[in-house]
Amino acid sequence: SLAGAFLGALVIGLQLHYRKIVQNEHFGYPDEWFPSVSATIGDRYPGRNVFQLLIALTCPSRLLLHALWYVLLSRAAPGRAKALFFIGFLRTVTCGG
């Protein structure tokens, strides 16, 4: 899930480079004590890679769920089934939830 992927990246980021991810761009360290989402999954290795890997692992099950909904709805409302599958596929691929 998205939350699990973020928590995995957060734990790694806090362990490996806490000072870098809480550092404020304009005022230096430490204006914040807890990192933002963008700092946690942004540019730092390996936190970003862990986030991307865990997000990618959730994709097949979500796509299977979209395909199942398409099959179930295609007889009753084929146009809506296609639209729902397309929107769900797009949201899954772009990590939109």
Side-chain angles (χ1 to χ4, degrees):
S1 74
L2 184 61
F6 172 72
L7 289 175
L10 178 64
V11 168
I12 289 173
L14 291 176
Q15 291 293 320
L16 296 179
H17 37 263
Y18 173 77
R19 291 174 95 75
K20 291 179 184 177
I21 62 175
V22 297
Q23 185 174 11
N24 187 301
E25 181 180 348
H26 302 288
F27 303 109
Y29 174 79
D31 235 22
E32 310 268 335
W33 65 271
F34 196 78
S36 67
V37 172
S38 59
T40 302
I41 61 174
D43 301 329
R44 308 276 183 234
Y45 172 82
R48 179 178 183 166
N49 300 83
V50 167
F51 177 78
Q52 290 172 337
L53 178 66
L54 292 175
I55 286 294
L57 289 176
T58 65
C59 186
S61 60
R62 291 181 61 91
L63 291 176
L64 184 63
L65 185 63
H66 295 309
L68 177 65
W69 273 109
Y70 175 77
V71 169
L72 291 175
L73 293 176
S74 63
R75 289 188 181 159
R80 284 189 175 175
K82 287 179 185 176
L84 184 64
F85 179 79
F86 177 73
I87 291 169
F89 178 80
L90 191 63
R91 288 187 67 193
T92 300
V93 171
T94 60
C95 297

